[in-house]
Amino acid sequence: MGDWNSVNLEVVYYVLGWIAFSSWAFCFYPQLILNFRRKSVLGLNFDFVVLNLTKHTSYLIYNASLYFNSTVQRQYRQKFGFDQMIPVAANDVAFSVHAVLLTSLTLFQIAIYDRGNQKISKISIAIVFAAWLLAAVCVLIAFPTRSWYWLVSCFSTLQVVMTTIKYIPQAAFNYQRKSSVGFSIGYVLLDFLGSTTNLFQMIVQSIDQRSCVNLYGNIGKTLLSVVCICFDILFMIQHFMLYPSRNGTISPNSNAESKDPLLQDASKQIMSSWNSVHLEVLYNVLGWVAFSSWSISFYPQVILNFQRKSVVGLNFDFALLNLTKHSSYLIYNASLFFSSTVQRQYRKKFGLNEMIPVAPNDVAFSIHAVLLTAYTLFQIAIYDRGNQKVSKISIGIVSVAWLSAAVCVFVAIPRHSWFWLVSCFNDIQVVMTIIKYIPQVILNFRRKSTIGFSIGNILLDFLGGLTNYCQMAVQSIDQDSWVNFNGNIGKTMISLVSIFFDILFMLQHYVLYRSKNKANIASNSNVVSKEPLLKPSDHPHSDSV
């Protein structure tokens, strides 16, 4: 593989790749579990599964060939350039192997479970036969000329065609039945997450290489993501908007629905306080993706500081406000997750049937965030700071925040208003979230540069904010209530504010100050003039792209 220009983007690339792999790998299990529990495959279109097996098999041939075969890699670079990176990662190969195995297992379930009057259509059989016949012809054409990359590209094209076709039978089947019962929405939601992160992974690589060859050089992977996203949105519209009432009742016009064991006892569908086990799985997956992204986001800055032995370019007010923000957020999360008294007062306010809007990943993230932010402040104390220092305004803000918290404690003790008290800490973290980014934005603007402030932190923070917001949306959809958003306004605001400022930082780094970052010039900043990174010979593959 070619060299990365940014270590941070390389980290983000692999993180996104394994998130996509995990999402796509997990997406098979909701359907398998649903089939197993019902001992039935009614509602799952068999054409979809058969076409899916052809698609994943051809995709496995493409990925394995381009990842492991040096001859295919050489022919790829001859076509697109010897400085280009191979657009297939280890997670692509791992996913393909796993997908073939799990799709085969689904076909085995179709063979042994109740099928009703469903069967594989002759059209699908003809399509699969034609696909493999064309693949055989391509092998015969490629063999004399040793055009191995052209051959594996044919398999890539085949999987794109199968991806485009495979969803149509299931979408049409749902439309005919006016229901999506039997087809797992968990599969759709995880497939959507995998497709989105897969597309972002390719974009990150293109940004690092400053070339779009990665996108059209692996057009199969690009189209795979786009097509999946489009159909997954269609399935979500069918499930949540067009046929939500039909999904919970027996349809008299559908033989598949009339035999669905899940409909015989509605109470069996409710596990714990979740209405859908698939949405519960997705909720937990999104939560840990957000936790992983936010947790890892601290490390690019910490590593950058360590490599440079300098914190010049990182605004100290940002770090100080960040510590106050994460400390207050930890108090809120830990109290609402562990204290039964706080939980009881929460339900008394928002409803006894409402779920607690704090998950284990929220508590774990808060603890980790406090530790890493404190370590960043330790780096500020021991590394070269130039003429930077913490402003009196930030010191004043932090003092007022903790003084206000102390007053709230004295107010809450006589009335035992513990949920009100932890909500005050939640409000503090919301205010700190809004404020903390502003000093760094201003410092970047004054210097006309983002050197010293890790873009890896921003990209991972953006991913964490996005998946955190999606996690809350999943819970609200399952509970058919939006109390989750206003009941935990802090978590809602942390996502929206983070996403807004992260987009602003990306604009500064990649659009507004890109040329100055590249040349390591910051003529308008006395701070940056002392920055070790400004010596091109020191760090040729620095954080700045």
Side-chain angles (χ1 to χ4, degrees):
M1 297 182 69
D3 292 331
W4 284 84
N5 295 313
S6 169
V7 173
N8 299 317
L9 288 181
E10 183 179 11
V11 171
V12 174
Y13 173 84
Y14 285 113
V15 169
L16 289 174
W18 286 107
I19 290 174
F21 163 72
S22 301
S23 302
W24 272 334
F26 276 119
C27 78
F28 293 95
Y29 292 97
Q31 187 66 56
L32 288 169
I33 294 171
L34 181 63
N35 296 342
F36 174 77
R37 287 177 174 168
R38 301 164 64 215
K39 297 299 186 290
S40 170
V41 288
L42 294 172
L44 172 63
N45 191 278
F46 301 166
D47 295 346
F48 166 75
V49 181
V50 171
L51 295 172
N52 208 20
L53 181 61
T54 303
K55 167 257 193 294
H56 286 305
T57 303
S58 56
Y59 193 43
L60 172 59
I61 294 172
Y62 170 78
N63 283 331
S65 300
L66 192 52
Y67 187 78
F68 292 111
N69 192 293
S70 58
T71 302
V72 176
Q73 292 176 353
R74 184 174 64 254
Q75 292 181 3
Y76 172 85
R77 289 194 170 102
Q78 285 176 347
K79 181 175 182 179
F80 295 106
F82 288 95
D83 60 333
Q84 293 299 320
M85 299 172 65
I86 299 301
V88 173
N91 62 276
D92 296 315
V93 181
F95 163 73
S96 297
V97 174
H98 183 268
V100 170
L101 294 176
L102 270 289
T103 308
S104 300
L105 181 57
T106 306
L107 279 175
F108 177 72
Q109 288 184 320
I110 289 174
I112 64 174
Y113 289 151
D114 178 29
R115 299 187 296 276
N117 58 1
Q118 293 179 214
K119 58 183 180 180
I120 301 174
S121 70
K122 294 180 180 180
I123 295 177
S124 293
I125 295 174
I127 291 174
V128 171
F129 179 78
W132 289 112
L133 181 62
L134 287 174
V137 172
C138 290
V139 171
L140 295 176
I141 294 174
F143 191 82
T145 58
R146 302 292 192 273
S147 304
W148 305 126
Y149 174 68
W150 174 84
L151 176 59
V152 298
S153 296
C154 292
F155 282 100
S156 179
T157 303
L158 175 60
Q159 73 90 13
V160 171
V161 173
M162 290 296 108
T163 300
T164 306
I165 296 174
K166 73 172 186 176
Y167 292 105
I168 297 176
Q170 187 67 56
F173 192 44
N174 292 347
Y175 172 76
Q176 291 171 354
R177 299 182 303 145
K178 298 297 185 290
S179 172
S180 61
V181 173
F183 180 57
S184 174
I185 190 61
Y187 169 89
V188 174
L189 294 172
L190 286 169
D191 187 53
F192 178 77
L193 176 62
S195 302
T196 304
T197 51
N198 183 68
L199 187 61
F200 277 133
Q201 183 195 30
M202 299 186 73
I203 292 174
V204 165
Q205 183 175 341
S206 296
I207 291 173
D208 179 84
Q209 299 293 293
R210 301 172 192 171
S211 169
C212 292
V213 169
N214 171 56
L215 294 173
Y216 60 79
N218 191 1
I219 191 65
K221 188 176 179 181
T222 305
L223 290 178
L224 169 68
S225 298
V226 174
V227 171
C228 287
I229 289 171
C230 292
F231 274 101
D232 288 335
I233 291 174
L234 174 60
F235 286 128
M236 285 187 277
I237 292 174
Q238 286 184 323
H239 185 87
F240 294 115
M241 299 176 62
L242 298 181
Y243 319 130
S245 59
R246 296 292 186 97
N247 290 334
T249 59
I250 299 175
S251 174
N253 298 323
S254 173
N255 182 55
E257 302 305 313
S258 65
K259 296 184 178 182
D260 194 341
L262 277 181
L263 300 178
Q264 295 174 6
D265 186 358
S267 64
K268 292 181 181 179
Q269 299 184 48
I270 303 177
M271 298 186 63
S272 183
S273 53
W274 284 84
N275 296 315
S276 169
V277 65
H278 307 311
L279 291 182
E280 182 180 13
V281 170
L282 179 60
Y283 173 85
N284 290 323
V285 169
L286 287 173
W288 286 107
V289 169
F291 163 73
S292 301
S293 301
W294 270 336
S295 297
I296 296 173
S297 70
F298 292 94
Y299 291 98
Q301 185 67 57
V302 169
I303 294 172
L304 181 63
N305 296 341
F306 173 77
Q307 290 175 339
R308 301 165 59 219
K309 299 296 186 292
S310 171
V311 288
V312 175
L314 171 64
N315 190 279
F316 300 167
D317 294 347
F318 168 77
L320 180 63
L321 295 171
N322 209 19
L323 181 63
T324 303
K325 169 255 192 296
H326 287 305
S327 299
S328 56
Y329 194 41
L330 172 59
I331 294 172
Y332 171 79
N333 284 331
S335 300
L336 191 52
F337 186 77
F338 291 110
S339 174
S340 58
T341 302
V342 176
Q343 292 176 354
R344 185 173 64 252
Q345 291 182 3
Y346 172 86
R347 290 194 169 101
K348 184 177 180 180
K349 179 177 181 179
F350 294 105
L352 297 178
N353 61 336
E354 292 297 332
M355 297 176 64
I356 299 301
V358 173
N361 62 277
D362 297 314
V363 181
F365 164 73
S366 297
I367 295 173
H368 183 269
V370 170
L371 294 176
L372 267 293
T373 307
Y375 182 72
T376 303
L377 284 172
F378 174 72
Q379 288 184 318
I380 289 175
I382 64 174
Y383 289 151
D384 177 32
R385 299 186 297 273
N387 58 2
Q388 293 181 214
K389 59 183 179 179
V390 179
S391 70
K392 293 181 180 178
I393 296 177
S394 293
I395 295 174
I397 292 174
V398 170
S399 300
V400 170
W402 289 111
L403 179 63
S404 300
V407 172
C408 291
V409 170
F410 285 110
V411 173
I413 289 177
R415 299 180 298 170
H416 300 286
S417 304
W418 306 123
F419 175 67
W420 174 83
L421 176 60
V422 298
S423 296
C424 292
F425 282 99
N426 195 25
D427 293 336
I428 291 175
Q429 76 90 11
V430 172
V431 173
M432 291 298 108
T433 300
I434 296 173
I435 295 175
K436 71 172 187 176
Y437 292 104
I438 297 176
Q440 187 67 54
V441 172
I442 294 175
L443 180 62
N444 293 346
F445 172 75
R446 288 175 176 172
R447 299 185 305 144
K448 297 297 185 292
S449 171
T450 59
I451 295 174
F453 182 58
S454 173
I455 191 62
N457 172 286
I458 297 307
L459 295 172
L460 288 167
D461 188 56
F462 176 77
L463 177 61
L466 191 62
T467 50
N468 183 67
Y469 192 80
C470 290
Q471 184 195 30
M472 299 184 71
V474 166
Q475 182 176 343
S476 296
I477 291 171
D478 177 86
Q479 300 293 294
D480 194 23
S481 170
W482 299 100
V483 170
N484 174 52
F485 280 89
N486 54 43
N488 192 0
I489 189 65
K491 190 175 180 181
T492 306
M493 289 299 298
I494 190 178
S495 297
L496 295 178
V497 172
S498 296
I499 290 171
F500 172 79
F501 276 101
D502 289 337
I503 292 174
L504 179 57
F505 284 127
M506 285 187 277
L507 287 174
Q508 285 185 323
H509 186 86
Y510 292 114
V511 179
L512 298 179
Y513 314 136
R514 180 172 181 174
S515 59
K516 294 214 172 183
N517 288 337
K518 182 178 179 181
N520 289 340
I521 297 175
S523 59
N524 297 326
S525 174
N526 294 326
V527 172
V528 180
S529 64
K530 297 183 179 182
E531 187 170 0
L533 266 183
L534 294 181
K535 299 176 183 179
S537 60
D538 290 345
H539 298 285
H541 301 297
S542 68
D543 179 83
S544 300
V545 178

